[in-house]
Structures are given as C-alpha cells and as structure tokens.
Amino acid sequence: MDTVPYPITGEMTDDTPLACAYATLRQQTQTLIAPLSPEDMVVQSMPDASPVKWHLAHTTWFFETFLLKSLPDYTVFAPAYAFLFNSYYEALGPRQPRAQRGLLTRPPLADILAYRAHVDAGMERLLQSDLPAETESLIRLGIAHEEQHQELILMDVLHLLAQSPLKPAYDIRANPDAGGKPGRFQLRPGGLVDIGHEGAGFAFDNEAPRHRTWLQPFEISDRLVTNGEWLAFMQDGGYSRPDLWLSDGWAQVQAQGWTAPFYWQADGDSWQEMSLRGLHPIAPDAPVTHISYYEADAFAHWAGARLPTEAEWELAASDGVLDQKDNVAWQWTGSAYLPYPGFQPGAGAVGEYNGKFMSGQMVLRGGSSFTPAGHTRPTYRNFFKPEQRWMRAGVRLARDLADRHAADGHDAGFAADVVRGLSARQKSLSPKYFYDAAGSDLFEAICRLEEYYPTRTETALLTRIAAELVADIPADAVLVEFGSGASDKTRLLLDAAPHITHYVPIDISEDALRHATLRLKTAYPKLSVTPVAGDFTSEVKLPSALKGRPLVGFFPGSTIGNFTRAEAAAFMRTVRGLLGQGARLILGADMVKAEATLVAAYDDALGVTAQFNKNLLVRINRDLGGNFDLDAFDHLAVWNPDFERMEMHLVSRKDQIVKAAGHAFAFKAGERFHTENSHKFTPASLARLAAESGWKIERQWISPAPEFGIFSLGS
Ligand code: SAH
Ligand code: AVI
C-alpha cells in the first residue's frame, strides 16, 4: 500500500474560498486514511477512541444534518445514520452508545465512502449558490469540526496500533519531533490584558468573548519539557512520591499503575516509545508527549514550577516568545475549562458543540504535530479530562516571580544593593548579580572564547591530575561545590572518583542549577544530587540527610578571585566551618600573568564579555524598573597592579540621569560603575590566604603559561 506523510500540509485560511476549502478538507481526510487497511478502520480500541470508519461517517453526518437535510433538492442518504453517527447532540435524538461504536461492522466501509460522496455532491450544489452569512459560518464550523476529527483519527489510530504486539507503524515516514534549543524562562510583566477571540476570522464559540483579565508578572518557558527531563523526574522517584501529586492524580497513579508516559515501554535499562512511526528509542531532546494533566502538574511541582494559566499562555503566544507553540504537542494549562465572561453558545443544536462540556476538564493550548496545518490559533481552547493521555499533550512550565525571588534568595536585597551601590561616590555592585538566566548563559559563552584561557587551562589541568586529586577521597563522600554553574568541571572529578555518591551544587543562579542538575542526573543515574539555590556568602545549610558523611569541597573557576582579599579570607573560614574538621577543599585559582593576556581575556574581540557586563543593566531595567540605555555605557576591562586584579567597569559615555528601583542616579561623562574584580594569585598570596583562614595547602599544581593553579587544602 502507498503511504503518505502527515501532518497534512496545504494550509487553509479564512481567506480560502469556501468551495475550495470544503473540497480540500474532504480530500485531506481521504489522504489521511490511505495508509490504513479496512480492518484498521473498524476496531474501537477503547471507549474514548472511535473507529476511523465512524469518524468518516460522523463528519459527513455533520454536514448532512446541519446544512443539507432541510434543502428541498437533497435526499437523505440513509435515515438510520442519524442514530448511528450522531455523537452527542441531545437535541437531535438518541444515538449509538459511544463505547459501542466499534460494534458497527455494518454498514461496511464501502457504504460510508459512498455516503461521503453523496454528501459531497449535495455540498457542491449548495456551495454554488449565493449563501447567507449564517450558512457560510455553519460550513466553516463543519470544516473546523472535520479538522478536529482528522486529529482524532491520528490519536485513535496510534492508540489502536499501540495495542498490537507487532507495534506497526501508521507511516514510517511520519516526522519525528525535533529537539528544541536549551530553553529559557521568559519574563512577562502581566498587568491588565485582553484575551479571547474577536473579529471576523473563524473561531469556536468557546474562544469568545474577548475580555479583560489581570495577570501578575510571571515567567514562562519558551520551550516544552523534554523526554530527558522527564526521565530525570522518573529517576528521582517522580511516580512514587505522593508529595508531588494532586490527590486525584495520585489515586490514578496507583489505580492505573502509571510509571512513565502513556506510550513509553521499558526496554531493559532504557525506554522505547510507540509513535506513528512504530516503536523506537526515546529521543532525550524531543518534547515529552502523551501525558495526563496530573502528570504534567506533578512534573511542574517537582521542577519547582507550575503550569501556565491559559491567559498567561495566550499572552506569551501573542507576544511571540514561545517556541514549539503549536507544532509538537498541546500544552496543559492550569486553567479549568470554563465559559468566558459573557459567553453565549450558538443557537440550536450546534450550541451543544462546546458549552455543555464546561465542567471537570482542563484547557490545553497550542496545537500538535497531529493537528492539521492552519487549524489552530493563539486563542484556541482545547480541553480534556485531567486523567486522559491518548491526546498529543505535553508540558510547558511557568513560574511566579515570587518563586524566583525565593529560590534565588537574593532578590529582596537586589534593589537595596543597587540603590546603595549607585548612591556611593564610587559606584559599584556585587558581581553575584551577573548570574540571572541570561548572565549564566553568557558566562558559559565566555568560557568557550579563545581569549578566556582560564576555563580551558583549568579543565586541562584537572584532567591531567584528576587521579592524584581524588586518590584519598573516602568512599561514600559528598562533593560540595561552590558556584557550580554548568557543573562541567565536576564531571572530571566524578569520572575519576565513582565512589563519590552525593553531590551538592550550590549556586545563586537557579536556572544554571536546574539545567546542571537535570544533565547530571541523566549522565550519572546512581549519583544523588541535592542542589542548593542561594548566595554562598550568606548562611548556607547542607542537606541534613548528609550529616556524618565525609565532605569534600570544590571551588573551581577562580571564583575566589571575585571576592576582595578580606571577603575571600572570610569566605574560606566559613567554608571550613561548613565542611567541618578534617575536610578537604579543592580550589582553582588563576595566577598573575602578562597584562596583555589578562586584558584580552576580559575584553574579547567578539564582545561577549561586554555583553555579560551590560547584562547587569538589562537585569536592573527588567527587575527593578530601570531605564539604563545600554548604548550610553562602554565596557572597560583594566589591570589594577596595586591589587593584582582585573577590574570590569561600565563607563558612562555622557552626563546622564538613570532611574532604577524608584531612585534617580546621576552619571558624569567618563564616570565608572565598578561591576567586578577578578583577583589573580601567586603561590605566596595563596599561601597567605590559606593561612589567614585556617587552611593548609597540602598539594598544588600550577600549569605552564597561561598559569592556573589547583590547590588541595586540608584543615
Ligand atoms: N564553577 C564553574 C562556574 C564559575 S562561574 C566554573 O568553574 O566554570 C561563577 C558561578 O558562581 C556562577 O554560576 C554564579 O552563578 C555563581 N555565583 C556567583 N556568586 C555567587 C554567590 N554569591 N553565591 C552563590 N553562587 C554564586
Ligand atoms: C566567575 N568568575 C571567576 C569569572 C572571572 O573570570 O572573574 C567571571 C568573568 N568575568 C568576566 N569574564 C568572566
């Protein structure tokens, strides 16, 4: 049999002439069933799914009933079909019970195809006449209705084929879902916004009226949750921890024995997934699909986030900040499916289309790879029961701003520090504020720069000495990392010391921490990872479950250089107290070297470091209502020989007044806003620092130029 690719291309719009739209629609349905055998089209695999033959007849019945039946020149094809193919319209009389649609072996498929041709002929005649607007809208509704059934056909066929031990493909050429880019939470200011459909184009009745609603500021992920992330959730006991689940969801987990998404199937230690292409290994970067609302909600809870409301989703979609908006999977929202204020269902039997389902269901937004092209829109409200899983549903995360503040643990102080820092004679701010989500990404980009030698040099050194470095780490040790960022260097230690069983990354950047944790959990399934989000200069508490285990501190990257000498000593004392008597600390510190090498590392040719520096202004503008003009400041990197440190500044290009955090600050032309120190060390200055803070240098390794040092300290 010839197969055809899906989804159906040849997008139809509101401007497509009606007769053409109708003919295209009906042809597209025929195309969709081409890969199926007559047997495939009769079976009903569960009460929620209908046989394809029934879909073919029901969509035809819709046009016959609502448009043709009352016309003088139309003959009803078969009066019995009114009972067989009515779906749920009470006003149109009794019908075949939904769960028994699969018992309709008669009429045979050939009769249904003849029924379609008969109705198509009637519709063609109707479409040739001059139609009142009301009839045109009913035809548009019939078209949108059959498009919905085109998606249902794919959902139901997938469910049917998944029941077969042969796991057959509907179409081996069906497109796999592409993985997204790493993804980021997009901050949306919210406020008084309008949502819902308005205007001339087609929309279902449930999308109107457009109305005003209030949104607190929020953050929404620009991509969908991936299979890899879902795997991490599962490995962290996602399906066995009642604390993550809604009560009804937990009841479903137990009653249905859920341990993975609907179409996942264990294959030894890994997982396979049934799709329209048949059974295949899951792709970690592809979005997770076929999960219930309950699972989506539990995942969000586990990830320290929540599902977006439908209004948040619609606003973000209209603002163009969402990737994978409508081409992979419908996205569960946290909104119950309810009428909008002022909602009026259509008159007559079609009034039953949407309105009567407004209880006990949740809204999904977007569209999926099963949705016909052009069918959906940003105001579209799909809805399903929270336990249903056979639809192509996925997850997009959202967060309250308050969560982010609480998790970062420093935002309450951000405004105060900015006001204090910009009010001082020498304007300055702690470099810890560089690391919002964008700042963390920019830092990672810096690490890949030709001129930024520290990352490359330290990584090479760690690789070379890893075995010696971990030689005396005891079994069952806990590795505690300060300023862990992407946790890339950590892997060198973990690979050399598989007997490290616990890892505690501490970082102020909640986004960096979340990404690193997910990646590490996937790469080291046996490692227990307990991230701690917060400022390591304030009081850090280690997870109490780890008490009594041997602790090893890890502080790479020369982040120690970002403290002043006094702060560095105080920090090292705090770390000693935290790790306890007998602990070890592996410290990475950049060494003093030629000024030209240093300046180039902090003022790269591509301007990435300048962007990192200016991101501080972006952050003040966004989080503190600032109005910094990025073009009115220059990035400056200078070597300060007196303090043996690189300094970063933002230099005002002109006299200007800038507002932030409800205050106004004056900048003179040429005035410097000091944003970072990066102290460089010598063996002697590091020995002094260790001695001042109660540590002993037990071993040290210093790379050949560009010199970078690794110090193994004991207490
Ligand atoms: N260790 C990594 C990352 C170094 S970048 C490496 O060597 O490549 C510095 C990291 O420290 C960033 O991830 C930043 O978010 C974090 N950081 C900076 N100041 C911090 C603070 N006060 N508390 C906790 N983390 C901080
Ligand atoms: C994180 N820290 C050690 C980096 C440094 O080199 O001081 C941050 C950085 N600033 C500019 N480039 C990189």
Side-chain angles (χ1 to χ4, degrees), residues 20-362:
C20 171
Y22 179 84
T24 309
L25 166 88
R26 302 287 283 179
Q27 182 50 49
Q28 284 172 337
T29 304
Q30 298 298 130
T31 307
L32 210 51
I33 63 169
L36 301 173
S37 72
E39 292 84 349
D40 289 335
M41 296 198 239
V42 179
V43 177
Q44 179 166 29
S45 56
M46 65 164 169
D48 275 343
S50 301
V52 171
K53 192 173 79 174
W54 187 90
H55 287 295
L56 295 175
H58 165 71
T59 47
T60 306
W61 166 89
F62 190 96
F63 286 111
E64 183 179 62
T65 308
F66 291 108
L67 286 143
L68 299 178
K69 211 167 159 178
S70 55
L71 301 180
D73 64 341
Y74 180 79
T75 317
V76 165
F77 183 78
Y81 286 13
F83 178 87
L84 298 182
F85 302 122
N86 174 6
S87 51
Y88 52 65
Y89 295 86
E90 298 291 344
L92 300 173
R95 68 213 73 97
Q96 173 75 357
R98 182 184 171 84
Q100 291 169 26
R101 290 173 183 168
L103 300 183
L104 301 176
T105 55
R106 312 284 174 91
L109 179 62
D111 287 14
I112 299 305
L113 297 177
Y115 178 37
R116 285 182 72 84
H118 177 81
V119 167
D120 286 348
M123 286 298 294
E124 269 164 40
R125 279 195 303 280
L126 176 67
L127 283 159
Q128 275 161 16
S129 48
D130 219 4
L131 297 174
E134 208 174 298
T135 308
E136 285 208 3
S137 330
L138 259 179
I139 298 175
R140 294 258 178 227
L141 178 64
I143 291 173
H145 170 252
E146 185 154 338
E147 286 175 344
Q148 289 184 317
H149 280 271
Q150 289 172 345
E151 174 148 13
L152 282 164
I153 286 173
L154 291 175
M155 282 158 56
D156 294 355
V157 163
L158 173 58
H159 187 260
L160 175 68
L161 299 180
Q163 309 315 304
S164 163
L166 303 177
K167 305 291 174 207
Y170 160 79
D171 179 353
I172 49 165
R173 291 179 298 165
N175 289 335
D177 290 325
K181 53 180 182 120
R184 166 171 301 172
F185 276 89
Q186 300 286 344
L187 189 123
R188 310 311 304 153
L192 206 51
V193 301
D194 290 325
I195 65 156
H197 176 78
E198 186 174 62
F202 175 82
F204 287 108
D205 56 1
N206 63 2
E207 298 168 54
R210 190 165 175 83
H211 61 282
R212 197 146 274 204
T213 192
W214 176 260
L215 294 181
Q216 292 295 117
F218 65 100
E219 289 182 309
I220 186 161
S221 173
D222 58 12
R223 63 150 173 89
L224 304 187
V225 167
T226 64
N227 286 325
E229 290 165 337
W230 201 271
L231 215 49
F233 165 69
M234 286 162 53
Q235 282 162 353
D236 201 32
Y239 282 94
S240 50
R241 288 174 45 190
D243 58 303
L244 297 174
W245 292 77
L246 290 164
S247 172
D248 286 347
W250 184 241
Q252 289 287 338
V253 170
Q254 290 173 306
Q256 312 294 335
W258 290 348
T259 56
F262 196 40
Y263 288 124
W264 285 27
Q265 180 177 313
D267 175 28
D269 283 347
S270 56
W271 290 90
Q272 300 221 310
E273 181 180 15
M274 178 64 184
S275 79
L276 292 175
R277 289 181 290 135
L279 196 62
H280 51 82
I282 64 155
D285 287 343
V288 70
T289 53
H290 296 286
I291 39 117
S292 63
Y293 170 80
Y294 293 131
E295 289 162 288
D297 179 79
F299 179 92
H301 195 139
W302 173 78
R306 60 172 174 78
L307 300 178
T309 66
E310 61 170 322
E312 288 171 339
W313 191 99
E314 187 172 322
L315 187 71
S318 322
D319 289 349
V321 299
L322 304 184
D323 283 341
Q324 301 172 326
K325 180 167 58 116
D326 54 14
N327 57 351
V328 180
W330 292 92
Q331 296 135 54
W332 285 108
T333 72
S335 299
Y337 179 48
L338 291 172
Y340 282 166
F343 168 71
Q344 286 297 333
V350 281
E352 293 186 50
Y353 200 104
N354 280 312
K356 71 180 187 181
F357 299 110
M358 291 176 172
S359 83
Q361 313 214 46
M362 304 303 288

Side-chain angles (χ1 to χ4, degrees), residues 473-479 498-502 546 548-551:
I473 292 181
D476 239 8
V478 182
L479 186 67
H499 53 285
I500 295 177
T501 49
H502 292 78
L546 301 179
R549 290 179 194 271
L551 302 178

Side-chain angles (χ1 to χ4, degrees), residues 434-435 443 446 452 454 557-560 562 601-602 609 612 648 676-678 680:
F434 279 134
Y435 301 95
F443 176 72
I446 289 177
Y452 195 72
S558 203
T559 304
I560 187 77
N562 296 135
Y602 290 81
T609 311
F612 174 70
M648 290 206 313
E676 187 187 61
N677 291 317
S678 287
K680 306 299 164 187

Side-chain angles (χ1 to χ4, degrees), residues 418-502:
V418 166
V419 172
R420 197 176 319 118
L422 292 183
S423 307
R425 208 151 56 84
Q426 162 62 68
K427 293 181 171 64
S428 70
L429 190 63
S430 163
K432 71 183 179 185
Y433 292 117
F434 279 134
Y435 301 95
D436 62 356
S440 295
D441 287 352
L442 283 166
F443 176 72
E444 282 188 48
I446 289 177
C447 292
R448 292 189 292 268
L449 291 171
E450 185 58 35
E451 297 96 326
Y452 195 72
Y453 63 85
T455 309
R456 217 176 327 115
T457 313
E458 186 181 27
T459 301
L461 182 56
L462 277 171
T463 308
R464 186 163 64 75
I465 65 168
E468 292 173 78
L469 205 50
V470 304
D472 53 356
I473 292 181
D476 239 8
V478 182
L479 186 67
V480 180
E481 179 166 353
F482 301 90
S484 45
S487 289
D488 284 338
K489 292 168 191 162
T490 323
R491 289 166 178 248
L492 302 173
L493 298 190
L494 293 174
D495 290 342
H499 53 285
I500 295 177
T501 49
H502 292 78

